Amino acid sequence: MPVLHQMQMSGNCYKVRLAGRQLGLSFKLKDYPEHDGLTRKPEYLAKNPNGRVPMWETDDGKYLPESGAILFYLSEGTTLQPTERWARAEMMQWMFFEQYSHEPYVAVARFWLAYAPKEELEKKRHLVPEWHAKGNAALGVMETHLKSRDWFAGSQYSIADIALYGYTHCAGDGGFTLSDYPALSRWLARVAQTPGFIPLSQSW
Amino acid sequence: MPVLHQMQMSGNCYKVRLAGRQLGLSFKLKDYPEHDGLTRKPEYLAKNPNGRVPMWETDDGKYLPESGAILFYLSEGTTLQPTERWARAEMMQWMFFEQYSHEPYVAVARFWLAYAPKEELEKKRHLVPEWHAKGNAALGVMETHLKSRDWFAGSQYSIADIALYGYTHCAGDGGFTLSDYPALSRWLARVAQTPGFIPLSQSW
């Protein structure tokens, strides 16, 4: 059976659990404690030299890191990917947007403000205004899109929505005010109504 | 005719020019001067609310930002994308790796050390050691892969190689020492030998 190497509270790992549940897949979880540094140890680095979770392990012992790549791999040929060429381009647009312009601020603020040891946070405190400025800019870009669209890629729910949902729905943990974004807030509610939806806290 | 909205010295824009040339596509360039801030003006933000280049404009007036999404869109169904499912997963893995773990350090160091106004660099000087540490970590991950593989996705040259080539080949501008990475250096030479290859400095 495939294995998802993961941390439960990581939004990047949650994206894979959510897609996996909605696709009806069978797989096991292997959990890594948040602060143990196991993903930087030689045994893990032999599987993923970049030392991060999530990592997908196939039945035949191959390893795939990067949440976006895992989402893409698991959903090829399913209803979680549009088939029309432009909609597929939009799907990729928003998945790259999320990893480059959203996650490094929205997810990072959440990690440091909600999960990191307090004494570590103090060393990062001076970065909080930049995280909030750039994170709010990213949420603003999403809001603009969602004023006229229900979903991010084409006219259907896809892995682009899952990729953006992962850290947007819990942005409040990082000090963001989601009620400032009404169209985005309605989209969050739509995602939570999709068949097979599971919340971040729910284990496999 | 399609239009690539771009900056000539941006590695992200170069990726699209390189793929476009190798795919034999016809399109025009619209250049944005580096320090004019035009991509943050309302006229541009109406097309791409995220305010960045590259942006692809189609014949029928649609806009696609994100270099990875443009590469994916332009190369669907071509030899620049593998068809085998696992190789496609690897393609996405390395494209997301590039945008998350490589570009924010390797490209950013190059920008500030080689292109930014000197007085602006001084405000960022304290970040150089972190850019170099994380950028070298990313180059090390590439080196590990390339010790046993010729290309990043499957066994063929693909948009994953183009995505990684964009800022790796000019990492020296950012203070990185590419000769420390012999397998990576051989891969750079292989990419430069692919049919239709153009260097970053070459205009369209």
Side-chain angles (χ1 to χ4, degrees):
Chain A
M1 187 178 288
V3 180
L4 173 63
H5 297 255
Q6 71 135 22
M7 295 178 188
Q8 180 68 26
M9 296 312 287
S10 154
N12 284 325
C13 297
Y14 168 51
K15 298 169 190 177
V16 180
R17 293 198 305 275
L18 174 53
R21 178 58 59 102
Q22 297 194 305
L23 290 167
L25 303 179
S26 297
F27 57 89
K28 290 185 296 194
L29 298 188
K30 178 169 169 56
D31 281 302
Y32 293 77
E34 295 267 337
H35 303 296
D36 279 10
L38 289 177
T39 67
R40 306 286 167 162
K41 291 277 198 303
E43 187 188 344
Y44 192 88
L45 292 173
K47 298 168 181 168
N48 174 12
N50 204 29
R52 297 176 188 278
V53 289
M55 176 177 70
W56 185 262
E57 178 179 349
T58 65
D59 271 336
D60 55 345
K62 296 198 300 284
Y63 299 99
L64 182 67
E66 299 293 336
S67 59
I70 301 169
L71 289 176
F72 183 84
Y73 172 70
L74 296 179
S75 65
E76 276 223 273
T78 76
T79 57
L80 286 182
Q81 286 193 26
T83 54
E84 193 273 318
R85 188 181 173 204
W86 186 255
R88 292 175 64 74
E90 289 184 317
M91 173 182 81
M92 298 314 308
Q93 171 200 334
W94 288 107
M95 291 175 75
F96 282 110
F97 165 84
E98 194 269 342
Q99 287 286 287
Y100 192 85
S101 298
H102 180 293
E103 203 267 11
Y105 312 110
V106 176
V108 166
R110 170 179 175 263
F111 174 77
W112 288 102
L113 291 169
Y115 292 98
K118 275 281 171 290
E119 63 275 17
E120 293 295 312
L121 168 61
E122 290 318 310
K123 296 181 204 160
K124 299 279 183 177
R125 182 74 72 179
H126 64 288
L127 295 172
V128 173
E130 183 187 349
W131 295 338
H132 281 168
K134 293 186 174 176
N136 276 307
L139 297 174
V141 170
M142 294 172 67
E143 177 75 10
T144 297
H145 176 85
L146 291 165
K147 278 178 182 165
S148 60
R149 302 274 291 272
D150 281 349
W151 307 109
F152 279 94
S155 56
Q156 69 181 90
Y157 176 67
S158 75
I159 53 172
D161 298 285
I162 292 175
L164 281 160
Y165 188 84
Y167 284 108
T168 302
H169 82 284
C170 54
D173 296 348
F176 295 95
T177 306
L178 288 171
S179 57
D180 289 347
Y181 303 97
L184 185 155
S185 296
R186 290 191 294 274
W187 165 78
L188 289 173
R190 278 195 295 281
V191 173
Q193 294 295 320
T194 53
F197 176 85
I198 52 172
L200 182 145
S201 57
Q202 186 173 321
S203 196
W204 190 239
Chain B
M1 187 179 288
V3 180
L4 174 62
H5 298 254
Q6 71 136 19
M7 294 179 190
Q8 180 66 27
M9 296 312 288
S10 154
N12 283 325
C13 298
Y14 168 50
K15 298 169 190 176
V16 180
R17 293 198 306 276
L18 173 53
R21 178 59 59 100
Q22 296 194 305
L23 291 168
L25 303 179
S26 298
F27 56 90
K28 291 185 297 194
L29 299 187
K30 180 170 169 56
D31 281 303
Y32 293 78
E34 294 267 337
H35 304 296
D36 279 11
L38 288 176
T39 66
R40 307 285 166 160
K41 291 278 197 305
E43 187 188 344
Y44 191 88
L45 292 173
K47 299 166 181 168
N48 175 12
N50 204 28
R52 297 177 189 276
V53 289
M55 176 177 71
W56 186 261
E57 178 179 349
T58 65
D59 272 335
D60 55 346
K62 296 199 298 283
Y63 299 101
L64 182 66
E66 299 292 337
S67 59
I70 301 170
L71 290 176
F72 182 85
Y73 172 70
L74 296 180
S75 66
E76 277 224 271
T78 77
T79 57
L80 287 182
Q81 285 194 26
T83 54
E84 194 273 319
R85 188 181 173 203
W86 185 255
R88 291 174 65 74
E90 289 185 316
M91 173 182 81
M92 299 314 309
Q93 171 200 334
W94 288 107
M95 291 175 74
F96 281 110
F97 165 84
E98 193 270 342
Q99 287 285 287
Y100 192 85
S101 297
H102 179 293
E103 203 267 12
Y105 312 109
V106 176
V108 167
R110 169 179 175 261
F111 174 77
W112 287 102
L113 291 169
Y115 292 98
K118 275 280 170 291
E119 63 276 17
E120 293 296 312
L121 168 60
E122 290 319 309
K123 297 181 205 158
K124 298 281 182 174
R125 182 73 73 179
H126 64 289
L127 296 172
V128 174
E130 183 188 350
W131 295 337
H132 281 168
K134 293 186 175 176
N136 276 306
L139 298 175
V141 170
M142 294 172 68
E143 178 74 10
T144 297
H145 176 85
L146 290 165
K147 279 178 182 166
S148 61
R149 302 273 291 270
D150 281 350
W151 307 109
F152 280 94
S155 55
Q156 70 181 92
Y157 176 67
S158 75
I159 53 172
D161 297 285
I162 293 175
L164 282 160
Y165 188 85
Y167 283 109
T168 302
H169 83 284
C170 55
D173 296 349
F176 295 94
T177 306
L178 289 172
S179 57
D180 290 347
Y181 304 96
L184 184 155
S185 296
R186 290 191 294 273
W187 166 79
L188 289 173
R190 277 195 296 280
V191 173
Q193 293 295 321
T194 53
F197 176 84
I198 53 172
L200 182 145
S201 57
Q202 185 172 323
S203 196
W204 190 238

